Amino acid sequence: MAGEYFCTNTIIEDMENLTRWHISFTGIESVWLRVLVLCLAISALYFSWRGIKALPLWNKQTVLFALRFLMVALFVMLLLQPQIERKEVLKLKNKVVCLIDNSESMTLKGGDTRITRFQLVKNFFHDNASFVKELENNFDVDYVSFSDAIKEITHDDIEKGIVPDGANTDIAQTLKLLKKRYEGKSVRGYLVFSDGADTTELPSSLDKYEIISNLVKDLSTPFFTFSPGGNMDARDIAISKVSYDSFTFVRSPWRADVVIKIHGYKDLRLPVTLKQGNDIISSKILDTGNESELHIDLAFTPLSTGTFLYSVSVPVQPHEAISENNQVSFLVKVVRDKIRIMHVCGRPSWDERFLRRILKNDPNIDLISFFILRTPTDVSDARSDEMSLIPFPVDELFTQALDSFDLVIFQNFDYRPYDTAFFRFSHYLTNLKRFVTEQGGGFIMVGGDISFSQGGYDGTPLDEILPVSLNAGKDTTDTTRLKAVLTHDGLRHPVTALDVNSDRNAAIWKSLPELDGCNVTSEIKPDSLSLSIYPTKGNPPLISVREAGRGRCMAITTDSLWRWGFLSPGKGGSNRHYIKFWQNSIKWLIKDPALNPIRVIVNKDTFLPNEEVPVRIDAVGGNYQPLEGVQLDINITNEFSGKSIYSAKGVTGSDGQYRFVVRQNTEGYYIIKVAGKKENDEIGQDYAIFTVALKNKEFKDTSIRRDILARMAEISGGKYFELPAKNMGEKFSIENPVIVKLVGKRQISLWDNGYILMLILAVVSAEWWIRKRSGLS
């Protein structure tokens, strides 16, 4: 390798551009050989001087020795082969990066100062203008905004005021992007202006702060971090987290664990409310004291299936920084595990036996069945334990356990023997009415000689919800053997649809065996439907139904439907129509969504902003076949504001369906409501809920995370400061070593050209000529 010698006195500096010269020798690489050549050259000059110092004239000695010295020097140069290298270098500035948090949490105002966190950052650059100017003179300063991504900005952007609009803050992701952006570059310091509010959610197995610490270490650069001071904490009450099961069972307790964070308030009595839509279903009052974080459990029991929108909220307090985080909404899907039925029968009978067998054999039904062997008023010489398997648990069934059932069946049951001072069964009838009207339960009363008016139900709370009117003394029992006859409403009602084809369904009803009689009630109530009559005098209702508050009721005024399940197989038929009737009745009474004639279907619950939301509407007739030509009234509204975002009319096609697509870029929850009618008949209505993803997490927790910023400064060898801060030039400095970059070079050879050869010849000739004239040749 050729040796290099820098000529430090030949540097020309033009601002930041430098020209540097240095000479190198490429002929003889060995240092020892170079020393030998120099020694030989010195020896040659020494002996040459001794040979010419005998000349009488001093001037001839000097000229001759100079020529010989030049000649030796030229020969040495030929051996060493010198060359000059000209280098163009650029003197570079080290980098300093100013990171400005532009997330929405920087818009929060301090509880005492009433100025925003970002205003403090802006004030820093104004109050420390000389420090910033000196920084820009000595370093190449980059200004970068960050939230969950980074963006290059300028110093002027800060002066004008950037808009803090980042929806999330991901410090770890920001550090990864910085490492990639400045890899191979000389960054001497990061100045970070932030509230440290990191909104990323990681699995519990990962430590967010450990991840951030390791990334800071990997950058190997000091971090100088700046956060809003202690008087800048926002006054806020935030529901920061709601833990819940998004899937639960109807009539089963459901719980939500709520975390509430409190900043700037003390000793509040804070009501926390759980709502379904606009209906309050659970609430508690908290005494906050001096606590900054509170945990609370809210619970309720869903009474119907479907997907429902729930919200947890706390009231907005005076001078609260933001109100968006005072409410959190979420969707819960409620499904049916098993249908819980309570069956109470006044005495054993064929009708009771056949019905109980159907209910017990259905794997989707959880049956609790009681039939009375004797009443408290019966006189018997036998002991109670010989006459009863278990006592009738009246109080437990109709108080504690009633809410857990979906359907209650009274079959030929007279309650009056239990309406004593001890049992108070009339009080339980009030509970049963409330179970139907307020909790959405189902109720069936099946006829017999101790049912309806004969069972004493006229004037009771059950009389108020039954589809037939009861009148003591007038209601009788008709024992004529006749067949059930469908009414006009029964031809298309889901309860009496024993076949999907309407003509076959009518034929089936005509073919069913005769019944043994019915309870002749007064009349059908105005808001009820008679699905089947008993064709005796007055055509009394046989099967009738009614919507009663939030629940449904059915009256079957006969105790001989068992004949459909017994005589049909005996005549070579099947009991499937008897089973189908009870399956239809149970589904209708518990409001099975499959029976809704109008169904709104959305393929998923959550969509991104501006993503297509495909909606399908299905309409079916009374025979559950697709219904064409249904006129649909469609409206989509924001669940809480009530503002409509879409309104349209539609008509179902031959497949009984209507489809459309909507888009919505505003985050929130939206409800699709559809009502259908055909000509003058109301077909039904339904709704569905979808979410446009709520991505902003900045206001879930408004606290300033000074601990994160202080940790970043500590492990990187930097410093942590609180804003406002002035005179920063006196408080810290950043190392600034000199770095240069080669931008071009040129090599000039000093030995392999004609001028050197001509100079050697000239020197040799001149030396020979002088020696010749001096008589030394």
Side-chain angles (χ1 to χ4, degrees), residues 563-575:
R563 295 172 61 86
W564 293 353
F566 179 71
L567 295 181
S568 291
K571 295 179 180 179
S574 167
N575 67 345

Side-chain angles (χ1 to χ4, degrees), residues 91-94 139 186 188 734-740:
K91 186 178 180 181
L92 298 179
K93 289 184 177 181
N94 292 292
F139 296 91
S186 179
R188 307 307 301 178
I734 301 175
E735 293 183 1
N736 191 16
V738 177
I739 56 172
V740 294

